Structure formats: C-alpha cells, structure tokens
C-alpha cells in the first residue's frame, strides 16, 4: 500500500505517472529498449527531449526570449554555475538575499567564485520572514540579485519578486509551477526538479538570451551556460530519466489546469493544514510570520520535543511519512508538492486534529 509522502524531497510522484513509466520501462515507444538504454542521439530520445523542454516552456509560461536548459547536478550545482558565469568580470559583484538555509548556501558558494555580498540577512529575524523591498541593499557593481523564492527549511516564501534595477536570479526549486513566475522581472530562473517535477539529479534552468549573450570569460564546457544553449542541453549524455519523468509530470499538470490549477490546489492543501494549526489553541504553532507562510512547506511545532516525537511515531505508523523537520531546526514539516494529492493533505489535517484531541 502506498503511503502519503510529505517529505521535502525527493517528491512524491502521482501513481498514474509511475505506472505509465513502469509499462514503458522495458520497451520505450517500440524501440526495443528501455529509456535508460537509449542513445541521446537517437530519434526516440530526441523527440522525448524536445517535447519535455517544450512542455517546460509551455507549463512555466517562459517567454520566447528565454533559453530552456536541463543541467545535471540539481540546484546545488547552480549555486556554483551562476557566479562562475555571471561574475567572470572581476569588477562585478553578486547580491544575495540570505533568507534561509538555501539562500545562505548559495551565497557561500558564490563567495568561492567571486565578490558576493549579503543584500539582506534574515538570520537576525530567525529566518521567519522575507525582506521588505526597502530593506534590500543593491551596492555598486552588483551584477545580479539572487533570490530564493521559497525556503523549504524555514517554511517562508517571497510574496513579490523585487525589481531593483539589476538582473534577477531566482531559485524556484520548491515552488516551481505552484504559482506564476513574474517573467518580466526575471533574467535567470532555476530549480532542482526533485521537489515538484521528477526524480533528483537535474536542474531546470531558464535564462534570458540577452543575459546569456553578454556572458564573458572561459569556463570548462560543463560549467558554461553558453555550451548548454548551443547544444540544446545534449552536448553530453543528459540526465535522461529525470527529463523523461519531467515530461510526463508536465503533461499531467497541463491536463489539470497548468500553473493556475496547481496554484489553487497548493493553496488549498496548505490552507487545510494551517487551519488546523491556527485553530489548535496553541497546541500546534507555526514560527513563521503569517504574511510569508510557504504554501509548499508547512513547518510547525508541538508543545514539547516529547510530543513531537510521539506525533512523528504515530503519524508514520498511520502512513503519513516524511513529516520530520529538517535536522537543523527540528519540529515538523509537511511538504505539499505538485504530486501530493488533496486527499493526502486532508488525511494529515484529520490526524493532527485527532492527535491533539487525544494528547492535549
């Protein structure tokens, strides 16, 4: 029996997609081979690859002046690639919002490549909110501003993307397609696919061509965005299985209303859980500023560590898995990604209510 998977990653994938992949696993489209065996130069693979990238553009709403790239390594690889490509000019600087663990790590990696500074620091606020626009410092020489749209560990999200006169780079790993992307404000949008779209091992990257055309410097091919764009992301063998599964997930999301439909379903799932928290008379509490609550990662605490331990033990036994908070902060966390059904959120809400009634 399948469980309700609230883990922060890898994501849960809808059963119909898994069954479809299972049926095709030994023979992909009459090729006589598994998708895992096909050459990335074959016509079978090329059709699947091109369709997946086209679906990514369609599903995200990315304008035609953006390149769509698929790059191995996930979002963490992008923490290095972004400064390697954008800070090649020694006079340039990278501005970063340190809004949580992922913003902090992105800034730390950028500092290994070039001059990167913290344009706003959420640590003094306990990573419980995102910055106001007036709090963000854009200093001389800033080549770009890096924003994490949703911090999975802290459970906070950026409400509006900042328009501050420099190219905007946005990590959308944990809320990709869960709300519309403000493309007119963005120049580079990226995310690891393992939270909403596919198995781990790949980042989906959208890069404005004017930004791509102005890159300078020489990098090894595997680090150079220009190489991926020129080769259609097939300069070497790409991450085949994540691309294949992403295409299936994007088709399903299109049939369910695309970004608009997913945004509504995600808000509904989050609302069910936050309602239980807010109506629990303090038994459950969210440490997040209500204005900045994430819709994809709901973090909450119980009255004592012992109560949290018992909650996690009983929820796991009930088939509600992956609810343990990140090891750096503890507590509990329910990740409500694209593949998680509304019924799963409803079962969790019911369990939380019953647990409180029994243990408060």
């Amino acid at each position: 029996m399948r469980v309700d998977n609230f883990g922060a990653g890898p994501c849960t994938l809808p059963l119909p997609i898994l069954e479809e992949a299972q049926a095709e696993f030994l023979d992909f489209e009459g090729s006589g081979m598994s998708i895992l065996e096909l050459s990335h130069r074959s016509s079978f693979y090329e059709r699947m690859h091109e369709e997946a990238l086209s679906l990514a553009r369609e599903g995200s709403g990315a304008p035609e002046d953006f390149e769509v790239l698929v790059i191995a390594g996930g979002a963490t690889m992008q923490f290095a690639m972004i400064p390697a490509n954008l800070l090649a000019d020694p006079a340039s600087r990278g501005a970063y919002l340190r809004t949580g663990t992922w913003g902090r790590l992105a800034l730390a990696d950028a500092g290994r490549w070039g001059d990167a500074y913290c344009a706003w620091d959420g640590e003094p606020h306990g990573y419980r909110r995102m910055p106001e626009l007036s709090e963000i410092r854009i200093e001389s020489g800033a080549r770009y501003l890096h924003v994490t749209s949703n911090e999975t560990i802290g459970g906070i999200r950026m409400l509006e993307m900042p328009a501050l006169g420099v190219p905007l780079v946005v990590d959308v790993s944990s809320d990709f397609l869960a709300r519309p992307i403000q493309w007119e404000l963005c120049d580079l949008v990226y995310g690891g696919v393992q939270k909403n779209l596919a198995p781990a091992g790949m980042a989906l990257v959208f890069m404005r061509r004017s930004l791509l055309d102005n890159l300078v410097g020489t990098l090894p091919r595997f680090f150079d965005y220009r190489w991926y764009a020129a080769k259609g992301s097939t300069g070497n063998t790409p991450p085949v299985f994540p691309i294949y599964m992403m295409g299936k997930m994007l088709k399903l999301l299109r049939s369910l209303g695309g970004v608009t439909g997913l945004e509504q379903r995600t808000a509904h799932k989050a609302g069910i859980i936050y309602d239980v928290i807010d109506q629990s008379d303090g038994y459950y509490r969210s440490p997040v500023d209500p204005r900045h609550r994430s819709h994809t990662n709901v973090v909450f605490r119980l009255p004592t560590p012992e109560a949290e331990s018992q909650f996690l033990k009983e929820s796991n036994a009930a088939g509600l898995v992956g609810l343990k908070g990140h090891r750096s902060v503890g507590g509990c966390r329910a990740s409500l990604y694209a593949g998680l059904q509304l019924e799963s959120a409803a079962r969790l809400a019911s369990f939380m209510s019953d647990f409180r009634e029994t243990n408060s």
Side-chain angles (χ1 to χ4, degrees):
M1 185 180 75
R2 284 178 63 78
V3 298
D4 296 309
N5 179 12
F6 296 92
C11 65
T12 187
L13 290 167
L15 186 58
I17 287 179
L18 295 174
E19 290 174 337
E20 188 175 300
Q22 181 185 48
E24 294 177 348
F25 195 72
L26 298 181
D27 184 359
F28 177 70
E29 295 189 352
S31 65
M33 290 182 283
S34 168
I35 187 67
L36 300 181
E37 301 171 286
L38 282 168
S39 166
H40 66 293
R41 306 298 182 198
S42 70
S43 60
F44 292 99
Y45 178 78
E46 286 177 351
R47 286 195 300 273
M48 183 276 290
H49 181 95
E50 291 171 5
E51 181 183 34
L53 268 61
S54 176
L55 286 165
R57 181 185 298 281
E58 175 191 324
S60 66
E64 288 299 321
D65 63 334
F66 277 78
E67 290 282 352
V68 183
L69 312 173
V70 283
I71 301 175
T76 301
M77 178 76 163
Q78 296 306 303
F79 291 171
M81 283 189 69
I82 289 163
N85 281 266
L86 300 187
L87 298 182
D89 179 353
S92 61
R93 309 180 71 194
Y96 281 74
L97 300 185
R98 189 155 54 195
T99 49
T101 297
W102 302 114
R104 175 174 58 80
L105 292 173
L107 172 59
D109 274 4
R112 297 172 184 266
W113 284 95
D115 186 1
Y117 75 93
C118 181
W120 181 81
D121 192 358
E123 186 173 4
H125 308 282
Y127 296 134
R128 295 181 180 181
R129 69 173 180 90
M130 290 288 188
E132 304 294 340
L133 290 182
S134 60
E135 297 177 304
I136 301 173
R137 297 181 299 108
I138 301 299
E139 299 181 358
S140 176
R143 177 75 168 86
Y144 61 91
L145 173 65
H146 180 281
V147 174
T148 308
S149 64
N150 185 89
E151 287 280 1
T152 61
I153 294 174
I156 58 175
R157 69 171 187 159
M158 181 74 74
L159 299 180
E160 296 289 336
M161 291 299 111
L164 296 172
V166 294
L168 186 63
V169 176
V170 188
D171 175 359
V172 298
S173 295
S174 51
D175 63 353
F176 181 68
L177 292 186
R179 53 176 166 161
I181 294 170
Q182 295 172 279
W183 291 105
E184 70 280 5
L185 302 180
C186 300
D187 292 270
L188 195 161
V189 175
Y190 72 97
V193 297
Q194 74 276 9
K195 297 185 182 299
N196 283 289
L197 293 177
M202 180 180 83
L204 179 60
V205 179
F206 302 89
M207 191 169 190
R208 194 181 292 276
R209 290 195 183 94
S210 59
L211 183 64
L212 184 71
D213 292 342
N214 287 319
L215 295 181
V216 299
T218 302
L219 288 168
R221 292 174 299 162
F222 201 72
F223 274 83
D224 195 327
Y225 288 124
R226 293 168 294 188
W227 181 65
Y228 288 93
K231 298 294 184 178
S233 297
T234 58
N236 67 326
T237 306
V240 170
F241 196 67
I243 295 170
Y244 164 75
M245 292 299 288
M246 180 182 74
K248 292 187 179 299
M249 187 66 178
L250 288 166
K251 284 181 185 177
L252 177 62
L253 292 176
R254 179 175 63 182
S255 73
L256 296 174
V259 171
T260 300
L262 182 55
E263 182 180 32
Q264 292 171 350
R265 290 192 301 277
T266 304
H268 191 180
K269 288 183 288 188
I272 290 173
I273 307 303
Y274 283 125
D275 281 348
V276 173
I277 294 170
D278 292 340
Q279 296 171 16
S280 69
D281 294 325
Y283 186 80
Y284 298 108
R285 55 186 173 84
S286 170
V288 175
D289 182 327
R291 296 176 303 157
H292 299 279
R293 283 176 168 178
S294 170
H295 284 187
T296 50
N297 305 97
V298 178
V299 297
F300 57 97
R301 305 301 299 255
L302 279 74
T304 65
E306 293 75 19
E308 288 174 356
S309 179
Q310 187 65 24
F311 176 88
L312 292 169
K313 179 180 178 181
E314 293 187 18
S315 61
N316 193 69
L320 305 167
V321 306
L323 289 166
K324 187 175 183 179
H326 192 269
R327 60 187 179 276
S328 64
V329 295
C332 302
R333 172 177 55 175
S335 295
L336 312 173
Y337 297 135
L340 186 83
Q341 300 300 304
L342 178 61
E343 293 78 9
S344 296
R347 281 190 285 271
L348 174 58
S350 178
F351 175 86
M352 291 173 68
S353 296
D354 291 345
F355 185 87
R356 176 203 167 202
E357 184 176 339
T358 301
N359 293 280
S360 62

